[in-house]
DNA sequence: TAAGTTTGCATCGCACACGATATAATCGCT
DNA sequence: AGCGATTATATCGTGTGCGATGCAAACTTA
């Protein structure tokens, strides 16, 4: 019986899982400086782009469910990074708005993407590789988002 | 001021993070059938390859710390998937050994890698792409494991 | 317009990840 | 042999992720 497929080193999924964790770890020193966790940083990236946005829109952009986003936003509100308020148009909907404090954090965050990219580029991986990888992952995200949409 | 780098869609890290979560989700139906979580499945892949292995070796292979692995193994012992016992040679070390139940789970797990791969391949992504991606990720893991080894 | 369905958000419980810390065993150096 | 440093593992607290469930507002459709 051939079991090589069950070996860790032959999996494609394990390297993605590990890389993801290691990248989050690589962010840590930079995010510590501005007092953010990685998921909080993701939320702020959404809000820096579009202040005043509904919880639902955030879940869509980050592909996370409300049972992850709601407590995350709650913690961020406690950190005075944002304000939540019921929409008047649709009472079910909650709008999220940045505080001045969070807007100013953007200055500290601006150099982070470049720093991370510098960490990831070396003699074996160039920018073209990275962009190619990004395309491929986005393709996978499309496939997987579709195939897993009924799994909860 | 150019802020395009702070946009979610221009990040390479976010697609990796999302793909990782979506892949775990894609595993779920298959792992549910044999009553495992994804990290538990990873531990078993290590043990199916080498039964009787120290906790330390497992942390190295999975690149996870003991504060993640210890409780994980404890839960798995409660599920009767493995036994833990102090090494006689080195009383600090704990050896992990599969139960018969876990060994038999391997039969149920055998088709899983192929199923997952089938999910990931389509008209836009072929096996060569996947293998190329794996190489690139392994390169990143090397870089990141080194650069983050002092971050805790 | 009334009843059933869907939608938007929240809460609860559980399983990771991981920083900080603790403890015991072993190692290294004198 | 003795003692400080290192190593292997465990525990605690916090922050995600996410399945299950709850609830109220909005929608649908008879």
């Amino acid at each position: 019986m051939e079991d090589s497929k069950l070996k860790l080193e032959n999996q494609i999924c394990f390297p993605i899982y590990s890389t993801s964790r290691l990248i989050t770890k690589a962010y840590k020193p930079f995010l510590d400086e501005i007092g953010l966790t990685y998921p909080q940083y993701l939320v702020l990236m959404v809000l820096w782009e579009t202040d005043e946005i509904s919880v639902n829109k955030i879940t869509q952009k980050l592909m996370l469910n409300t049972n992850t986003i709601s407590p995350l936003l709650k913690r961020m509100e406690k950190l005075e990074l944002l304000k939540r308020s019921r929409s008047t148009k649709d009472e079910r909907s909650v709008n999220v708005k940045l505080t001045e404090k969070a807007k100013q954090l953007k200055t500290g965050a601006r150099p982070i993407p470049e720093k991370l990219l510098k960490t990831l580029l070396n003699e074996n991986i160039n920018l073209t590789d990275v962009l190619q990888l990004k395309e491929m992952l986005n393709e996978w995200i499309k496939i997987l988002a579709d195939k897993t949409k009924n799994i909860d």
Side-chain angles (χ1 to χ4, degrees), chain A:
Chain A
M1 179 67 75
E2 180 52 275
D3 281 346
S4 63
K5 288 201 174 73
L6 268 183
K7 289 189 179 175
L8 208 55
E9 57 179 342
N10 295 329
Q11 301 281 322
I12 175 59
C13 306
F14 178 62
I16 295 179
Y17 163 80
S18 295
T19 305
S20 179
R21 283 191 306 104
L22 286 168
I23 285 181
T24 302
K25 197 172 180 177
Y27 268 103
K28 192 168 188 315
F30 307 130
L31 292 178
D32 274 352
E33 283 180 29
I34 54 176
L36 294 174
T37 66
Y38 184 64
Q40 288 169 2
Y41 171 65
L42 292 181
V43 170
L44 285 190
M45 280 204 287
V46 170
L47 287 166
W48 283 327
E49 203 169 328
T50 315
D51 193 359
E52 187 85 46
I53 191 174
S54 71
V55 171
N56 190 33
K57 279 273 163 50
I58 296 175
T59 66
Q60 285 174 25
K61 280 174 186 279
L62 299 183
M63 292 184 284
L64 290 164
N65 292 329
T66 59
N67 51 4
T68 297
I69 291 292
S70 279
L72 181 51
L73 293 176
K74 212 171 170 181
R75 283 187 290 270
M76 291 178 77
E77 189 170 33
K78 195 180 279 181
L79 293 171
E80 294 180 357
L81 295 171
L82 50 84
K83 286 279 180 198
R84 289 181 300 165
S85 57
R86 289 270 158 199
S87 164
T88 48
K89 288 192 208 74
D90 185 339
E91 287 283 336
R92 292 170 306 178
S93 184
V94 168
N95 283 327
V96 179
K97 212 171 167 350
L98 286 178
T99 61
E100 268 311 309
K101 180 180 170 188
K103 284 178 191 168
Q104 276 158 26
L105 268 190
K106 193 174 183 177
T107 307
R110 212 168 263 117
I112 293 180
E114 194 66 35
K115 286 182 187 171
L116 247 291
L117 191 59
K118 215 168 272 171
T119 300
L120 294 174
L121 297 180
N122 73 347
E123 64 278 357
N124 293 319
I125 300 178
N126 59 42
L127 192 56
T128 310
D129 295 328
V130 175
L131 294 177
Q132 225 166 18
L133 171 67
K134 201 176 96 176
E135 265 184 63
M136 188 163 165
L137 291 176
N138 280 329
E139 179 72 23
W140 271 359
I141 288 170
K142 263 196 297 180
I143 298 170
L144 289 166
D146 185 55
K147 296 209 183 185
T148 64
K149 71 181 170 212
N150 294 318
I151 304 173
D152 258 343

